[in-house]
Amino acid sequence: MLTDRQLLILQVIVDDFIRSAQPVGSRSLSKKDEISFSSATIRNEMADLEELGYIEKTHTSSGRVPSEKGYRYYVDHLLSPQALNKQDISIIQSIFAEKIFEFEKIIQKSARILSELTNYTSIVLGPAASFNKLKRIQIIPLNKETAVAIFVTDSGHVENRTFYLPPTVDASDLEKTVNILNERLTGVALEDLNDKIYKEVAMLLRQHIRNYDLMMHTIADSLKMPVNEKLFFGGKTNMLSQPEFHDISKIRTLLQMIDHEEWIYPLIKNDSAGINIKIGRENNNSAMENCSLITATYSVGAESLGTIAILGPTRMEYSRVISLLQFLSKDLTSVLTNLYQKY
Amino acid sequence: MLTDRQLLILQVIVDDFIRSAQPVGSRSLSKKDEISFSSATIRNEMADLEELGYIEKTHTSSGRVPSEKGYRYYVDHLLSPQALNKQDISIIQSIFAEKIFEFEKIIQKSARILSELTNYTSIVLGPAASFNKLKRIQIIPLNKETAVAIFVTDSGHVENRTFYLPPTVDASDLEKTVNILNERLTGVALEDLNDKIYKEVAMLLRQHIRNYDLMMHTIADSLKMPVNEKLFFGGKTNMLSQPEFHDISKIRTLLQMIDHEEWIYPLIKNDSAGINIKIGRENNNSAMENCSLITATYSVGAESLGTIAILGPTRMEYSRVISLLQFLSKDLTSVLTNLYQKY
DNA sequence: GTTAGCACTCATTGAAGCTGAGTGCTAATT
DNA sequence: AATTAGCACTCAGCTTCAATGAGTGCTAAC
């Protein structure tokens, strides 16, 4: 167990290193206001902290730098919650000046503003459309061979799929099909559509349509493609100005990862609701070695809808970022809740 | 006017520098097979070429490097068209394995493969939807206040806009409106819709709908937002491996530009049909100082639809890139032409 | 338990010197 | 008159070396 003095020293080291990006030495520590004992004492304490794994040296005679364990302890126990200043608050609230149904724009603006406020990279996972409820299906034939199926949800989200028309299907078949689909599927969540089609619609189609199974498989097929939540980024290049990324090869791996959306999902998705902090190797991703990722979820009611995240160096301003994310996710949640309660 | 020998020397210098990224000296030139005169002669010729502005030195005693003027001359007069090898051709043709109506996927794959084949950054401007012809309009009310308007084109492209319903409009008004719109606007190019609405539809609406003008403005408004062609990128981080971008600040400006799509449009858009080459400052963009941009258009019939482009260092393999772009744009054009001729 | 003092380490900086790839110029050669 | 050999010169880049200073650990005194 760490003594109070050790905690104080650890905290000051982390704070100082976050600010300066320079290893922290005993002499410079001893000069701080918070600290009333000599550099020699600090050296002794630092030796202990190092033995315990909370801090490390970059070389034998260098100052100390927090280890991942040190950051973890700092985040878990030493973080002094920091109130946002008024300017930050009003900047965040300016996000919601858009008309609320232009939700994509709100999300995009959130990403941009988060990255501008923090100078880190922001990642926002758009609201999952998969449990939006179906409002209407339309099928519009383009020519003899192809048609577009359009799915509109109660939230105004529109999905569309082009597909080959089975050659035996004629206009009246299509119309009947659409009617049946609308009758049976309105109000069903997108993610349940496929299920429902086989369970409830199949039989009806059989009664009314020749070659019903071809038609049905065609439609079911077009629904199989996952409704992907969109990712939005802000400040992709911000990491270039962080001193820990002066090395081209590190930048390259990191930017490469950021540009592969499919690698981002696992990083930010399987988190529980609320604020989550992953430090360095906790992200299980070699490109994230020197990075921390802080995520927050936004939701409507109890259902969490999407995620906002900040990707920065492990030497990140945790306190500030957490405050910003908390604030923004709260606002997003309330905007969304308002939006959805209308329906 | 340059002598044949000067042309030869210029060509070899550019070729060699493109390959090696190292300033080219007279001695190493004299050793090449193509060159049968001594290094002293070459030095004299190089002095002349330098005076004429085709090559330059990086410092007083360094070898020579092509200037922008030198690249320009090389591209305009010295380029030996290079045939693609079979492997490249088959890789490019693999792009078209997708079902042709998944055109976005084809475009995306084109971007990826171009960047993989060249190790540069590729930019593909998706087909302009703006002159697709309208196939069908649907308006689907979400609740009392909002509705989604859906525009389907003959090519299967779907646009949608959420808008506030004027409070005085009821369901039958909406239905009538949609009928009128479909009757009058089917076959009209998206870009002409706004025009046509005011010229032809306004009157009809007035006859059938109360508060017709509110309705009309609402609909016209939702069409005002430009139908933006989408940009697709490949190999955004490829420039990091180019030796001229070992400098972080150069990389930063370049990547920042790439991430601002609105800055990319002017770079690749106002070009005439066919292959266009912009070298360094010819791009009129400070972030592009050390870059060249080669663009090619693809089209359907006479109408050019979109652009594919390669962004590389000025020290780019012009010949190869041009061949690749020519080949791919021809293929895209023929695929698109097939696709559109069906309708 | 705390601190002053001291010997030690090591990254960083800058000067000095060397090397090698390049140049321009001149005089000899073809 | 054009080409080339020869030579003096330049300069980036590398290596070496010493000095600097911010840091350490340890010990003995307070």
Side-chain angles (χ1 to χ4, degrees):
Chain A
M1 196 48 215
L2 297 179
T3 67
D4 281 356
R5 194 165 66 188
Q6 287 172 324
L7 293 185
L8 175 62
I9 290 175
L10 178 55
Q11 178 165 38
V12 178
I13 289 176
V14 178
D15 282 337
D16 196 73
F17 185 67
I18 285 177
R19 200 180 38 73
S20 70
Q22 296 299 322
V24 186
S26 58
R27 214 178 107 77
S28 69
L29 266 194
S30 71
K31 284 189 196 137
K32 303 232 164 205
D33 288 346
E34 306 94 301
I35 286 184
S36 53
F37 24 90
S38 76
S39 65
T41 309
I42 295 171
R43 280 200 289 283
N44 291 330
E45 297 287 29
M46 293 209 295
D48 290 349
L49 283 172
E50 182 169 8
E51 205 168 336
L52 293 168
Y54 293 103
I55 54 182
E56 39 196 44
K57 288 188 275 198
T58 59
H59 59 90
T60 24
S61 72
S62 78
R64 301 309 209 290
V65 155
S67 66
E68 285 186 11
K69 185 176 173 188
Y71 282 120
R72 172 48 65 196
Y73 195 93
Y74 173 84
V75 162
D76 288 344
H77 301 109
L78 302 174
L79 218 49
S80 42
Q82 181 200 323
L84 294 177
N85 70 37
K86 282 186 187 155
Q87 210 192 340
D88 290 347
I89 292 179
S90 74
I91 290 178
I92 290 184
Q93 284 174 337
S94 77
I95 295 171
F96 302 100
E98 313 274 339
K99 294 184 205 151
I100 50 163
F101 53 68
E102 299 184 13
F103 199 73
E104 247 191 40
K105 275 198 186 159
I106 291 184
I107 294 286
Q108 204 151 13
K109 205 166 163 188
S110 299
R112 205 195 71 226
I113 281 182
L114 268 184
S115 70
E116 281 168 9
L117 285 176
T118 58
N119 256 311
Y120 304 129
T121 299
S122 67
I123 307 172
V124 182
L125 182 64
S130 54
F131 61 88
N132 284 180
K133 306 231 172 6
L134 189 70
K135 184 87 187 179
R136 186 85 70 83
I137 293 180
Q138 307 267 219
I139 294 182
I140 295 169
L142 295 173
N143 51 44
K144 275 182 196 154
E145 295 159 18
T146 54
V148 189
I150 296 174
F151 306 84
V152 183
T153 71
D154 54 2
S155 66
H157 179 86
V158 178
E159 285 285 322
N160 67 283
R161 303 274 190 271
T162 305
F163 60 92
Y164 282 118
L165 277 177
T168 55
V169 170
D170 66 18
S172 89
D173 285 342
L174 259 191
E175 205 185 309
K176 275 189 241 165
T177 309
V178 171
N179 286 339
I180 291 173
L181 290 174
N182 272 313
E183 200 173 302
R184 288 288 145 176
L185 297 179
T186 302
V188 173
L190 288 192
E191 56 187 346
D192 300 333
L193 278 183
N194 212 296
D195 240 33
K196 210 87 170 187
I197 283 183
Y198 282 104
K199 281 199 196 133
E200 300 193 6
V201 179
M203 219 177 48
L204 275 169
L205 279 179
R206 170 158 24 176
Q207 291 166 10
H208 296 95
I209 318 262
R210 294 161 297 157
N211 296 83
Y212 80 101
D213 59 336
L214 198 53
M215 187 73 207
M216 208 183 63
H217 282 107
T218 304
I219 292 172
D221 263 3
S222 30
L223 279 170
K224 251 184 213 146
M225 308 177 225
V227 180
N228 252 333
E229 297 92 24
K230 265 199 193 163
L231 279 179
F232 299 85
F233 291 86
K236 277 186 179 180
T237 57
N238 279 3
M239 298 298 265
L240 291 179
S241 41
Q242 297 296 337
E244 31 271 275
F245 290 93
H246 270 335
D247 174 18
I248 291 247
S249 73
K250 272 188 199 158
I251 288 200
R252 198 180 150 92
T253 32
L254 188 61
L255 289 182
Q256 254 163 5
M257 196 202 56
I258 292 179
D259 270 344
H260 281 268
E261 304 210 341
E262 67 274 22
W263 298 346
I264 300 286
Y265 286 106
L267 283 180
I268 64 173
K269 260 190 124 166
N270 57 6
D271 280 340
S272 55
I275 299 274
N276 273 274
I277 303 177
K278 287 263 167 66
I279 296 164
R281 281 183 296 250
E282 292 174 10
N283 288 293
N284 277 325
N285 182 319
S286 62
M288 299 278 289
E289 279 244 342
N290 303 286
C291 297
S292 284
L293 187 70
I294 307 187
T295 61
T297 51
Y298 60 89
S299 44
V300 65
E303 187 114 40
S304 92
L305 261 191
T307 306
I308 55 184
I310 291 285
L311 170 66
T314 44
R315 187 188 61 76
M316 191 198 276
E317 288 184 84
Y318 293 94
S319 176
R320 176 171 161 74
V321 170
I322 290 172
S323 306
L324 285 169
L325 286 181
Q326 270 173 339
F327 191 85
L328 178 56
S329 76
K330 216 188 66 205
D331 275 9
L332 275 175
T333 296
S334 72
V335 165
L336 269 175
T337 305
N338 271 339
L339 181 65
Y340 277 68
Q341 274 169 355
K342 275 206 216 145
Y343 305 112
Chain B
M1 198 47 213
L2 298 179
T3 66
D4 281 356
R5 194 164 66 188
Q6 286 172 327
L7 291 186
L8 175 61
I9 290 176
L10 178 55
Q11 179 165 39
V12 178
I13 289 176
V14 178
D15 281 337
D16 196 73
F17 184 67
I18 285 177
R19 199 182 37 74
S20 70
Q22 294 300 322
V24 186
S26 57
R27 213 177 109 78
S28 71
L29 265 194
S30 72
K31 284 190 195 135
K32 303 230 164 204
D33 288 346
E34 308 93 301
I35 286 184
S36 54
F37 24 90
S38 77
S39 65
T41 310
I42 295 171
R43 279 201 288 283
N44 290 329
E45 298 286 30
M46 291 209 295
D48 290 349
L49 283 172
E50 182 169 8
E51 205 167 335
L52 293 167
Y54 293 103
I55 54 182
E56 41 195 42
K57 291 188 275 199
T58 60
H59 60 89
T60 24
S61 72
S62 78
R64 302 306 209 291
V65 156
S67 66
E68 286 186 10
K69 186 176 172 187
Y71 282 121
R72 172 49 65 194
Y73 194 93
Y74 173 85
V75 162
D76 289 343
H77 302 108
L78 303 174
L79 218 50
S80 43
Q82 182 201 323
L84 294 177
N85 69 37
K86 281 188 187 153
Q87 210 193 340
D88 291 347
I89 291 180
S90 76
I91 291 178
I92 290 185
Q93 284 173 337
S94 78
I95 295 172
F96 302 101
E98 312 275 337
K99 293 184 203 152
I100 52 163
F101 55 66
E102 298 184 16
F103 199 74
E104 247 189 40
K105 276 199 186 159
I106 291 184
I107 293 286
Q108 204 151 13
K109 205 166 163 187
S110 300
R112 205 195 71 227
I113 281 182
L114 268 184
S115 70
E116 280 169 9
L117 285 176
T118 59
N119 255 311
Y120 304 129
T121 300
S122 67
I123 307 173
V124 182
L125 182 63
S130 52
F131 61 89
N132 282 182
K133 306 233 173 3
L134 188 70
K135 184 90 187 176
R136 186 84 70 82
I137 293 180
Q138 308 267 219
I139 293 181
I140 295 169
L142 295 172
N143 52 43
K144 276 182 195 153
E145 294 158 18
T146 53
V148 190
I150 296 175
F151 307 85
V152 184
T153 71
D154 53 3
S155 66
H157 178 86
V158 178
E159 285 285 320
N160 67 282
R161 304 275 190 271
T162 306
F163 60 92
Y164 281 118
L165 276 177
T168 56
V169 170
D170 66 17
S172 90
D173 286 342
L174 258 190
E175 205 186 309
K176 275 189 241 164
T177 309
V178 172
N179 286 337
I180 292 173
L181 289 174
N182 272 312
E183 200 173 302
R184 289 288 144 174
L185 298 178
T186 302
V188 172
L190 288 193
E191 56 187 346
D192 301 330
L193 277 185
N194 213 296
D195 239 34
K196 211 84 170 187
I197 284 184
Y198 282 104
K199 280 199 199 132
E200 301 193 5
V201 179
M203 220 177 46
L204 275 170
L205 278 179
R206 175 164 14 182
Q207 291 166 9
H208 296 95
I209 317 264
R210 293 160 298 156
N211 297 84
Y212 80 101
D213 58 335
L214 198 54
M215 188 71 207
M216 210 183 62
H217 283 107
T218 304
I219 291 172
D221 264 5
S222 33
L223 281 171
K224 252 185 213 147
M225 307 178 226
V227 179
N228 253 332
E229 297 93 21
K230 265 200 194 162
L231 279 178
F232 299 86
F233 291 86
K236 276 187 180 180
T237 56
N238 279 4
M239 298 298 265
L240 291 179
S241 41
Q242 296 296 338
E244 32 271 275
F245 289 94
H246 270 336
D247 174 18
I248 291 249
S249 72
K250 272 187 198 158
I251 287 199
R252 197 180 150 92
T253 33
L254 189 61
L255 289 183
Q256 254 164 4
M257 196 202 57
I258 292 178
D259 271 344
H260 281 268
E261 304 209 340
E262 68 274 21
W263 299 344
I264 300 285
Y265 286 106
L267 283 179
I268 64 172
K269 260 191 126 168
N270 57 6
D271 280 339
S272 54
I275 299 273
N276 272 275
I277 303 177
K278 287 263 166 67
I279 296 164
R281 280 183 298 248
E282 291 173 10
N283 288 293
N284 278 324
N285 184 318
S286 62
M288 299 278 290
E289 280 245 340
N290 304 286
C291 298
S292 284
L293 187 70
I294 307 187
T295 60
T297 51
Y298 60 89
S299 44
V300 64
E303 187 113 42
S304 91
L305 260 192
T307 306
I308 55 184
I310 291 286
L311 170 66
T314 44
R315 188 188 61 76
M316 190 198 277
E317 288 184 84
Y318 292 95
S319 178
R320 176 172 161 74
V321 170
I322 290 172
S323 305
L324 285 169
L325 286 182
Q326 269 173 340
F327 191 85
L328 178 56
S329 77
K330 215 187 68 208
D331 274 9
L332 275 175
T333 296
S334 72
V335 165
L336 268 175
T337 304
N338 273 339
L339 181 64
Y340 277 70
Q341 274 170 354
K342 274 204 216 145
Y343 304 113

